[in-house]
Amino acid sequence: MSDIPEPTFTTPTTPLTEEELAEYQQKLTDWNQELETYAANLDSHDKSRERALDNRKNAEIEYDKLIVYLAGGGLVLTVGFIKDITKAAKTTDVGWLLGCWICFALALLVNLVSHALTRMAADALLTDAPNWKNLDKKVNWANWTCLILVGLGIFVFLVFVFLNFPAHA
C-alpha cells in the first residue's frame, strides 16, 4: 500500500490563527479528496481484475469442453469412418489410424490431468502454498499438450483418409 497518498503538511504544534486554521482545513480536505480518488481507482481496478478473472475462468471451461468434444468426436468419427466408409474398400496403412486414436485418447487423458492440476493449483493458491505457480505452469503445459495432441490426431486422421480414399473409389 505504498501508493496511498501521504499528507503534504504537518500538524501544527502552536495555536492557529483563523487564516492558518482555514489553510490547514483546506489541505486536509484536499488530502481527503486525493484519498477518495485513490480508493475509487483501487475499487475500479479490483472490479476490472475480477471481471478479467471471471472471463479467464469461463474461457478455461470452454477450452476444456472443446478439447473433450474434439478428441471424443474425433474418436467417434474415425471409428465411424472405418465402419461405414471403408468397409467396402481395402483399408491400408492402419498404423495412421492407430496413431490418430492414440493422439485423441492421450488428449482426453491429459485433459483429465489438467483438471486435477487446476484443482491442486487453486487449493495451493487459496492456502498460500509456495508451489501454486509451479502447478499453474503444469496446467498451462497440459493445456498446450491437449491442443497439440488434438491437432496431431486430426492431421494423422487426414493422412489416413488420404491414403485410403483412393482404395474406396
Side-chain angles (χ1 to χ4, degrees):
M1 292 282 178
S2 61
D3 294 340
I4 296 175
E6 294 292 329
T8 56
F9 57 93
T10 57
T11 307
T13 55
T14 59
L16 298 174
T17 65
E18 288 296 319
E19 185 178 293
E20 290 173 329
L21 184 58
E23 182 181 332
Y24 178 76
Q25 287 177 335
Q26 182 59 45
K27 287 181 181 181
L28 187 58
T29 301
D30 292 345
W31 184 71
N32 281 334
Q33 288 175 347
E34 288 178 22
L35 193 57
E36 287 174 9
T37 301
Y38 175 79
N41 288 341
L42 186 60
D43 187 50
S44 174
H45 173 73
D46 288 346
K47 287 179 183 175
S48 295
R49 187 174 193 279
E50 192 174 308
R51 278 193 307 271
L53 289 173
D54 285 344
N55 288 342
R56 180 177 184 208
K57 178 182 168 185
N58 291 335
E60 288 174 355
I61 289 170
E62 291 301 315
Y63 176 83
D64 288 337
K65 285 180 187 177
L66 285 172
I67 290 294
V68 170
Y69 293 158
L70 287 171
L75 284 170
V76 170
L77 175 71
T78 57
V79 169
F81 179 81
I82 289 299
K83 188 178 116 196
D84 297 333
I85 298 176
T86 62
K87 65 182 173 185
K90 180 181 175 190
T91 304
T92 60
D93 300 307
V94 180
W96 288 101
L97 182 62
L98 181 61
C100 166
W101 288 344
I102 289 171
C103 286
F104 287 144
L106 284 175
L108 291 170
L109 183 64
V110 173
N111 190 263
L112 286 174
V113 170
S114 171
H115 280 284
L117 287 171
T118 299
R119 186 181 44 80
M120 291 167 55
D123 290 345
L125 178 63
L126 292 172
T127 60
D128 290 329
N131 66 333
W132 75 267
K133 286 185 180 180
N134 187 30
L135 289 168
D136 192 51
K137 287 179 185 177
K138 288 179 181 178
V139 170
N140 283 332
W141 177 85
N143 286 338
W144 277 105
T145 302
C146 286
L147 181 65
I148 291 167
L149 285 169
V150 168
L152 186 60
I154 292 170
F155 174 76
V156 170
F157 178 65
L158 291 175
V159 170
F160 174 77
V161 169
F162 177 76
L163 293 174
N164 284 280
F165 193 75
H168 183 61

